[in-house]
Amino acid sequence: MKLRGKQKRYLRAQAHHLRPVFSVGKNGLTKSWLAQLGGALDNHELLKINLQQNTDVTTAEVKEFIEQQTDIQVVQTIGHVLVLFKVSADPDKREISENVQKI
């Protein structure tokens, strides 16, 4: 699903109170990290990740890596924090994505 402006605004509002669940550290970006991220998004649909101070990658590099390797969409980047969205594979956990489709 390609997100429009109003949909991104809704997701940003929903993610405002969330704390970062994943972080990118000195090990950088790996396939196993990406697989764990995809699994977490299947359960939550919306989450934040944080770039630690000791990482060698930039926020733009993380965004590009995630969007090229998966169907995860980066909703917002603020400093070292990214807000990510992906429609859950489990129909029972699609509450957020169903609300996004109505917008």
Side-chain angles (χ1 to χ4, degrees):
M1 166 185 356
K2 181 75 173 150
L3 296 174
R4 296 186 316 270
K6 287 184 178 183
Q7 293 170 327
K8 286 184 180 181
R9 190 172 5 182
Y10 171 79
L11 290 171
R12 287 193 304 262
Q14 295 299 310
H16 178 73
H17 70 282
L18 298 177
R19 297 222 178 252
V21 176
F22 277 85
S23 62
V24 179
K26 64 180 179 177
N27 294 336
L29 305 169
T30 62
K31 295 285 184 183
S32 63
W33 178 83
L34 204 56
Q36 290 177 352
L37 182 65
L41 277 164
D42 273 340
N43 288 330
H44 301 288
E45 288 192 321
L46 184 69
L47 56 84
K48 288 183 179 180
I49 62 169
N50 185 25
L51 273 69
Q52 295 179 353
Q53 290 181 349
N54 63 349
T55 188
D56 294 333
V57 294
T58 65
T59 308
E61 292 171 340
V62 173
K63 178 181 176 180
E64 183 179 333
F65 179 78
I66 290 172
E67 288 181 339
Q68 286 182 355
Q69 301 290 325
T70 64
D71 58 347
I72 299 170
Q73 296 186 46
V74 177
V75 177
Q76 182 181 31
T77 59
I78 297 178
H80 294 287
V81 178
L82 287 89
V83 177
L84 306 176
F85 172 73
K86 177 184 171 190
V87 177
S88 177
D90 184 4
D92 295 334
K93 298 180 181 178
R94 291 186 184 163
E95 182 180 339
I96 295 173
S97 60
E98 288 174 356
N99 291 338
V100 167
Q101 288 178 348
K102 293 177 187 176
I103 297 174

